[in-house]
Amino acid sequence: MAALDAIDRNILRLLRLDARVSNAKLASEVGLSPSACLRRIKLMEQAGVIRGYTALVDTSQAEASIAVIINITLERQTEEHLDRFEAAVRKHPEIKECFLMTGGSDYLLRVEVANPGDFERIHKDILSTMPGVLRIHSSFSIRNVLATRPKGLR
């Protein structure tokens, strides 16, 4: 797929706000015909720009979970060490996101847990056994500000 243009970026922005918007409304908002809009969406899906669609769940009305943000520092930052760590991360579905970072730590991970005991298991059985880990710093979230926006602002 060629580079994204302003219309593609606008489509993505609107889909991020409401992935269930009708194609007709989306097309009208970006100034395209419905068929042209749908064609662009399909091209972005095929190219992997759009990887899927998801639902934002109000945790006060569903099974509650706690997001834990984890900063990982490795012993060494060689390509071999980074590759070994990333391969280990991919084996654990408990790890929802993993970002290679600049700054004070090498990786930022996000996990979702039901309670502190659940995180203790993940810390002991997974994080502390990963190859090359020098330091683990974890922070428990209080709430996701963007997931709890007032309904009119979504």
Side-chain angles (χ1 to χ4, degrees):
M1 179 175 183
L4 300 179
D5 64 12
I7 294 173
D8 292 329
R9 288 190 298 276
N10 199 17
I11 290 170
L12 292 174
R13 181 185 64 79
L14 292 168
L15 286 174
R16 282 187 185 116
L17 292 172
D18 181 6
R20 294 186 60 163
V21 63
S22 73
N23 184 57
K25 182 173 181 187
L26 183 60
S28 173
E29 297 253 352
V30 300
L32 293 175
S33 69
S35 62
C37 185
L38 189 56
R39 185 171 44 254
R40 283 178 179 251
I41 291 169
K42 294 296 181 195
L43 285 172
M44 288 189 281
E45 289 172 346
Q46 291 167 356
V49 174
I50 297 175
R51 294 181 305 164
Y53 301 87
T54 190
L56 297 175
V57 178
D58 183 349
T59 56
S60 68
Q61 298 183 36
E63 183 178 320
S65 63
I66 303 165
V68 183
I69 306 302
I70 305 151
N71 291 291
I72 300 284
T73 304
L74 298 182
E75 295 168 344
R76 301 185 67 195
Q77 290 77 31
T78 65
E79 187 173 352
E80 177 188 344
H81 280 78
L82 298 174
D83 290 345
R84 284 180 39 223
F85 179 80
E86 290 174 16
V89 165
R90 288 184 184 98
K91 293 178 183 176
H92 297 284
E94 297 91 342
I95 301 171
K96 304 300 183 192
E97 294 183 282
C98 176
F99 300 94
L100 178 61
M101 303 297 290
T102 63
S105 61
D106 298 310
Y107 288 93
L108 184 141
L109 281 59
R110 182 180 64 81
V111 301
E112 300 271 335
V113 298
N115 55 56
D118 192 22
F119 178 71
E120 181 181 15
R121 177 193 60 78
I122 290 171
H123 187 281
K124 184 176 71 172
D125 296 344
I126 297 172
L127 300 174
S128 64
T129 65
M130 294 190 129
V133 172
L134 175 66
R135 186 172 27 261
I136 302 168
H137 178 85
S138 307
S139 300
F140 282 68
S141 69
I142 296 171
R143 69 180 160 94
N144 181 336
V145 173
L146 296 180
T148 56
R149 288 182 281 197
K151 288 185 184 223
L153 297 178
R154 289 194 179 186

